[in-house]
């Protein structure tokens, strides 16, 4: 069984909008609905769980009823104090209907351009290991600075990668890896794969997709609007 956990609990404060970015409308529908359409339609995704604040859950439920594959939607989980605690809340709810040997695919609601091919590739790689993450190679020279003002050392650009989503993990082992970080260490986690790596899980890297960007800044939002505009004209 493959369960998608969609993270839609963020506030989007960096974007400077009145509502969280994942609920802004682009092309006549909320940004969240784009990745939801892809996940619900994918034949290898068996269930979808959404992390979302209670004030948005009714709206999301209404949007979801209009999508193909809506029967896969299993319910909501409440956000935590940070992204990783939100993931843990989702994992706890998923384990009520899934087994430890199942796989969870974690995706950001603010990454609307998720492709069917990326989902498939992540699942294939995850099954051969204990998890998988799509990554992009670094294009620029990377420096290390311990004080944030002067360069301390150089990093090997060929050994540094930028992680994307979705990330796939063996459910039971990933849940335990997150539980081990309670109560305080989990608050310092920035990326979904960090707990898995810290726990020694076997995580594969697969080629990422430059088009699968996360909407974080006004420039990202405008880029997505332009892409959707071109798609409608095409």
């Amino acid at each position: 069984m493959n369960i998608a956990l969609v993270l839609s609990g963020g506030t989007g404060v960096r974007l400077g909008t009145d509502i969280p970015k994942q609920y802004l409308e682009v092309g006549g529908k909320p940004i969240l609905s784009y990745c939801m359409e892809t996940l619900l339609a994918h034949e290898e995704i068996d269930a979808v769980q959404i992390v979302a604040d209670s004030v948005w859950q009714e709206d999301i439920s209404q949007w979801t009823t209009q999508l193909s594959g809506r029967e896969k939607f299993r319910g909501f989980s409440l956000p935590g104090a940070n992204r990783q605690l939100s993931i843990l809340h989702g994992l706890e709810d998923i384990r009520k209907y899934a087994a430890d040997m199942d796989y969870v695919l974690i995706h950001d609601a603010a990454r609307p351009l998720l492709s069917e091919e990326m989902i498939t590739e992540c699942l294939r790689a995850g099954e051969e290991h204990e998890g998988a993450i799509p990554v992009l190679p670094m294009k620029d020279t990377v420096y290390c600075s311990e004080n944030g003002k002067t360069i301390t050392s150089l990093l090997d650009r060929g050994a540094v990668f930028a992680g994307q989503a979705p990330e796939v993990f063996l459910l039971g082992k990933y849940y335990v890896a997150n539980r081990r970080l309670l109560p305080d260490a989990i608050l310092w986690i920035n990326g979904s794969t960090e707990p898995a790596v810290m726990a020694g899980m076997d995580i594969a890297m697969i080629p990422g997709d430059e088009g699968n960007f996360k909407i974080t800044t006004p420039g990202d939002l405008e880029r997505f609007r332009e892409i959707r505009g071109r798609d409608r004209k095409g």
Side-chain angles (χ1 to χ4, degrees):
M1 185 177 187
N2 298 316
I3 308 98
L5 178 60
V6 179
L7 304 179
S8 191
T11 59
V13 292
R14 283 179 288 181
L15 201 62
T17 54
D18 294 331
I19 65 174
K21 57 196 172 187
Q22 61 271 27
Y23 305 124
L24 294 172
E25 285 199 3
V26 174
K29 56 187 179 181
I31 289 173
L32 164 67
S33 68
Y34 286 91
C35 73
M36 284 293 294
E37 283 181 331
T38 306
L39 289 165
L40 290 170
H42 197 286
E43 62 180 13
E44 294 186 62
I45 295 296
D46 303 295
V48 177
Q49 186 84 19
I50 302 178
V51 176
D53 192 280
S54 57
V55 300
W56 286 100
Q57 291 180 9
E58 184 176 349
D59 288 328
I60 295 172
S61 294
Q62 292 177 354
W63 297 330
T64 303
T65 60
Q66 303 172 30
L67 302 178
S68 175
R70 54 189 174 274
E71 68 279 358
K72 295 181 183 181
F73 174 54
R74 298 297 293 265
F76 294 102
S77 300
L78 291 174
N82 72 340
R83 185 176 188 274
Q84 203 61 35
L85 278 170
S86 292
I87 289 174
L88 181 57
H89 289 178
L91 296 176
E92 290 170 343
D93 290 334
I94 287 170
R95 292 181 77 246
K96 296 174 183 176
Y97 57 82
D100 284 347
M101 294 306 293
D102 291 335
Y103 283 84
V104 58
L105 179 147
I106 299 173
H107 192 66
D108 300 302
R111 287 185 187 267
L113 295 175
L114 173 66
S115 68
E116 177 184 347
E117 292 75 20
M118 179 58 70
I119 296 172
T120 301
E121 290 170 9
C122 284
L123 291 174
R124 290 289 82 74
E127 290 170 358
E128 295 177 0
H129 300 267
E130 293 175 327
I133 178 175
V135 300
L136 295 173
M138 297 300 294
K139 296 180 178 179
D140 301 314
T141 304
V142 183
Y143 301 95
C144 180
S145 174
E146 295 181 2
N147 60 14
K149 297 179 180 180
T150 59
I151 295 175
T152 305
S153 61
L154 300 178
L155 299 178
D156 180 1
R157 181 173 63 184
V160 179
F161 298 86
Q164 290 190 306
E167 294 151 278
V168 172
F169 306 102
L170 190 61
L171 177 58
K173 285 194 173 184
Y174 186 61
Y175 173 72
V176 171
N178 280 273
R179 290 282 304 174
R180 286 175 178 168
L181 299 177
L182 293 174
D184 298 322
I186 198 168
L187 297 173
W188 301 100
I189 298 298
N190 294 311
S192 307
T193 299
E194 289 181 35
V197 174
M198 294 168 69
M201 291 177 62
D202 176 24
I203 306 299
M205 295 195 311
I206 65 172
D209 176 4
E210 297 251 3
N212 182 30
F213 61 91
K214 186 176 182 180
I215 297 176
T216 304
T217 67
D220 298 328
L221 180 59
E222 184 58 30
R223 178 184 175 190
F224 179 53
R225 283 175 171 155
E226 290 177 356
I227 291 172
R228 292 302 301 152
R230 291 197 300 268
D231 291 344
R232 289 197 302 272
K233 291 178 182 178

